[in-house]
Amino acid sequence: MNSRLRLYLAVLLLLLTVFAVLGFFCHPAADDFEDAAASIKNGFWNCYRNRFLLWNGRYTDNLFAFATPLRWHSITAYQLVPVLLMTLSYFSIFYFLKLFLKSRVHLYTAV
């Protein structure tokens, strides 16, 4: 691996680390607590169905809103969600590139 590619990867890793650390500064807002309380009180599927049919019609947003870690009273898990989403995004981008480019792009070549 040449030095320029190593430099780019080091800068990318540094930037991703900064975003991962900033994920621990995510704090829930009022609507996050309200969605978690409604999900605990009325049940996940009941809240999901009611919000989808009667309020906004969005299914992915409702899934994340009612399956929040706040439902299990965990702010630490709430703060880990951005890190998890970034990790999943990283692997999905490489999987897409592997399929799209039809080349020998392996997940370990980027690290």
Side-chain angles (χ1 to χ4, degrees):
M1 189 178 327
N2 65 25
S3 62
R4 179 173 276 190
L5 182 59
R6 284 184 187 202
L7 176 67
Y8 289 151
L9 291 176
V11 170
L12 177 65
L13 185 62
L14 177 68
L15 291 173
L16 289 176
T17 303
V18 169
F19 279 110
V21 169
L22 287 175
F24 289 102
F25 292 97
C26 292
H27 296 288
D31 60 338
D32 298 322
F33 288 115
E34 187 263 328
D35 288 341
S39 180
I40 291 169
K41 181 180 176 185
N42 301 324
F44 174 80
W45 291 111
N46 190 30
C47 287
Y48 182 84
R49 182 181 55 83
N50 286 340
R51 180 77 61 95
F52 178 74
L53 294 175
L54 304 174
W55 187 254
N56 61 15
R58 294 177 285 191
Y59 53 91
T60 305
D61 177 54
N62 295 337
L63 177 72
F64 287 124
F66 292 121
T68 179
L70 294 176
R71 182 174 183 188
W72 297 278
H73 309 289
S74 176
I75 291 191
T76 304
Y78 183 88
Q79 294 171 335
L80 286 173
V81 168
V83 177
L84 175 69
L85 290 176
M86 285 188 339
T87 304
L88 291 174
S89 296
Y90 173 81
F91 286 112
S92 66
I93 288 169
F94 275 98
Y95 184 70
F96 171 75
L97 289 175
K98 183 178 178 180
L99 292 177
F100 185 72
L101 298 176
K102 302 276 188 198
S103 65
R104 299 274 184 208
V105 176
H106 296 286
L107 293 177
Y108 61 85
T109 58
V111 179

